[in-house]
Amino acid sequence: MRVLVTGASGRLGRVVLPTLLGEGFAVRAMSRHRRDDPRVEWVVADLSTGEGLAGAVRGVEAVLHLASAPGGGRTHDVDVLGTRRLVVAAGAAGVRHLVHVSIVGIDRVPFGYYRHKLAAEEVVRAGEVPWSILRATQFPVFLDELLRAASRLGPTVGDRAVLAQPVDPGEVASRLAARLAAGPSRAVEDFGGPQVLRFDEAVCAWRAARQSRRPLLPIRIPGRLGRALRSGGLTTTATPTGTRTWADYLADTYEGTGRR
């Protein structure tokens, strides 16, 4: 099966490409800028303008839609309007399956970026291309970056009761490969990590892995956002889950480094 992967140069895309190749897929990778990779056919296209999309979807049986723009003022153009352009182009090209990657909790957590992701899902569901949607929980590296940013001034600042469920991107990539092989589900599937962690639990393990003595300075996120995050808005009870834990990520990243 020949698959077009949008957002192929992104954080998840860099993991997805070797996974798909290992599963025997023929991969056409798409990004806004030209790349050199002898393993895949690389094409240049821009979701925010539609330039190059018709050629990118021509001749593929499925599209794996990873591309997103969470910041920089491009979110609506890329995630909503760009997804619409992609769906229309894929329909015109006779693509038989579009797999869209989304985020667990976008329908429960009142956050601006999530509103755009939810709108993108609605575009996919309304399109003529048979579809599947996989919502994933947070990648461990994202939680790691969040904790480093929250520790810039010394203590680690955060709401101790916020719940997270880190999932390994390699396991998400494997789940996506399986979904492509299975064909369109016309359903929204959640996929999360094996553990739900409170923020203070995640911080404690992170400090130990980094051999850090930074204290936790607790704050309470106010309003609807805080309530949604504390009540597990970013977590899922769906099965199956991934198997790699936050502790596994920390051991791989920091074991023996003594980074503070």
Side-chain angles (χ1 to χ4, degrees):
M1 180 191 300
R2 182 173 297 279
V3 179
L4 172 70
V5 180
T6 74
S9 61
R11 179 168 284 165
L12 180 56
R14 293 192 295 269
V15 180
V16 161
L17 294 187
T19 299
L20 294 183
L21 292 170
E23 294 292 332
F25 291 92
V27 178
R28 179 180 292 169
M30 178 183 127
S31 65
R32 287 191 300 145
H33 304 290
R34 188 168 301 280
R35 310 271 175 165
D36 292 319
D37 188 336
R39 303 172 301 167
V40 301
E41 176 192 2
W42 210 283
V43 296
V44 176
D46 191 340
L47 288 169
S48 65
T49 64
E51 184 176 0
L53 277 182
V57 298
R58 188 178 301 123
V60 301
E61 298 166 74
V63 173
L64 177 53
H65 185 27
L66 310 181
S68 184
R74 300 177 61 245
T75 304
H76 184 69
D77 284 344
V78 172
D79 286 76
V80 183
L81 301 182
T83 296
R84 182 173 291 117
R85 294 182 185 102
L86 177 66
V87 168
V88 170
V95 172
R96 299 201 295 267
H97 188 191
L98 190 150
V99 179
H100 178 62
V101 178
S102 192
I103 304 169
V104 166
I106 59 171
D107 53 345
R108 301 190 299 268
V109 177
F111 182 57
Y113 174 52
Y114 288 0
R115 288 195 294 271
H116 292 295
K117 294 298 290 183
L118 193 59
E121 287 189 4
E122 292 167 358
V123 168
V124 171
R125 288 195 292 264
E128 66 178 89
V129 181
W131 55 271
S132 306
I133 295 173
L134 182 74
R135 290 179 178 174
T137 55
Q138 315 79 39
F139 295 157
V141 67
F142 171 76
L143 181 55
D144 188 2
E145 290 172 351
L146 176 66
L147 293 177
R148 283 189 273 127
S151 304
R152 285 195 310 266
L153 301 179
T156 303
V157 180
D159 189 327
R160 65 169 76 237
V162 164
L163 299 177
Q165 191 177 359
V167 66
D168 181 77
E171 295 181 323
V172 174
S174 295
R175 193 71 180 169
L176 290 169
R179 175 42 56 203
L180 283 165
S185 66
R186 295 189 184 271
V188 179
E189 174 189 357
D190 282 359
F191 187 69
Q195 295 174 309
V196 174
L197 298 170
R198 279 173 48 116
F199 184 81
D200 52 2
E201 294 172 328
V203 170
C204 183
W206 182 76
R207 286 189 316 214
R210 293 166 57 94
Q211 301 177 35
S212 170
R213 297 181 180 178
R214 294 177 185 271
L216 172 62
L217 179 61
I219 63 165
R220 187 174 177 84
I221 299 174
R224 291 176 55 231
L225 177 61
R227 290 193 296 274
L229 295 175
R230 287 188 293 272
S231 66
L234 295 179
T235 68
T236 179
T237 58
T239 57
T241 68
T243 60
R244 287 186 54 78
T245 65
W246 176 233
D248 292 330
Y249 167 83
L250 293 173
D252 290 346
T253 306
Y254 293 113
E255 186 171 10
T257 66
R259 292 176 62 180
R260 299 177 182 275

